[in-house]
Amino acid sequence: PSRTCSLEFAGSPQFLEPFTLTFSGVTELLVPASHPWGSSLSVLSAQDTGAGRYEFEMQSGDTITVVAPNNSFKPTPLRGAA
């Protein structure tokens, strides 16, 4: 079975509309909660660090890491939109 991880975003400084990043063939997924997440869901930065490793620094200071050889980007409609 394929190991898949999808991350949904409300937008970013580079892409203002909602979108989904889907990773396939995931070999590692780290979602720490070392710092209080609070009410903000903001991603401060995202980077491809090479060798299929992607890091998303959250406003809380935690870093979500996905390691996967493949990924895809898909614009997504707003929830509740017709």
Side-chain angles (χ1 to χ4, degrees), residues 33-48:
S34 300
H35 306 285
W37 284 8
S39 59
S40 175
L41 302 174
S42 296
V43 174
L44 289 180
S45 67
Q47 60 182 329
D48 174 352

Side-chain angles (χ1 to χ4, degrees), residues 12-82:
S12 74
Q14 296 80 16
F15 195 80
L16 300 178
E17 300 296 322
F19 62 92
T20 300
L21 288 175
T22 299
F23 300 91
S24 58
V26 175
T27 58
E28 186 174 1
L29 176 63
L30 302 172
V31 186
S34 300
H35 306 285
W37 284 8
S39 59
S40 175
L41 302 174
S42 296
V43 174
L44 289 180
S45 67
Q47 60 182 329
D48 174 352
T49 62
R53 185 179 189 92
Y54 305 89
E55 296 181 348
F56 302 88
E57 182 184 1
M58 306 303 293
Q59 189 170 2
S60 68
D62 288 317
T63 298
I64 296 172
T65 304
V66 181
V67 179
N70 304 302
N71 69 75
S72 64
F73 171 91
K74 178 182 171 188
T76 53
L78 292 172
R79 291 182 187 243

